[in-house]
Amino acid sequence: MAQASDPDILSDFIVPAGSTIDGNFFTFTGTRDIFGSIIEKFSVTKVSKAEFPGLDGQSVSLAVLQFPGGGVNPPHTHPRAAELLFVVKGSLEVGFVDTANKLYTQALQVGDLFVFPKGLVHYQYNSDWNKSAIAVSGFGSTSTGTVSLPTTLFATGIDDQVLAKLISLLFRKSRQV
């Protein structure tokens, strides 16, 4: 069995070399313009240690997800963290698939939260074509990793014949159910 997590630190926080420590070090302002903006396409604003060095060693990060009407965050995984999604505007249909290949889905409204277990394939979808939606996701890692299945499968050079065989097998299996 393999496990991965953020390392425990031996101090209150980690200071990058040459940094000045004041309240600004612990403040991230990169999400200010999100709320109130017009959402034209699906987008994710990540706030991990890469964008916010003050998070280094704290084992937390977040992302703000913006969905236009009909927008989708395609199937993906986070190998190093569970995700706690909080709907702050609109509604979302969400789901994940466990290791027994069982699909769990839910329709969420403003104020609802949903947890996606670490490493499991999951998605979010705004089925309302007339309204946008916004959600905030919290993670138990400063570097969650994101593996987008469509990108991983179709944009990384896997041979087309291999992909065609895979799709054929999946299609055949779904017809047997």
Side-chain angles (χ1 to χ4, degrees), residues 121-159:
V121 173
H122 60 279
Y123 68 91
Q124 300 97 23
Y125 172 56
N126 179 6
S127 63
D128 187 336
W129 284 81
N130 298 312
K131 295 181 183 173
S132 59
I134 297 177
V136 176
S137 287
F139 301 94
S141 172
T142 60
S143 181
T144 65
T146 300
V147 180
S148 175
L149 298 183
T151 302
T152 300
L153 290 173
F154 300 109
T156 56
I158 296 175
D159 186 272

Side-chain angles (χ1 to χ4, degrees), residues 36-37 39 86-92 109-111 131-135:
S37 64
I39 302 170
F86 177 51
V87 179
V88 297
K89 177 182 175 186
S91 60
L92 292 173
Q109 303 298 318
V110 170
K131 295 181 183 173
S132 59
I134 297 177

Side-chain angles (χ1 to χ4, degrees), residues 31-37 64 66 88-89 134-136:
T31 54
R32 285 183 178 172
D33 296 333
I34 290 175
F35 300 95
S37 64
V64 180
Q66 298 174 276
V88 297
K89 177 182 175 186
I134 297 177
V136 176

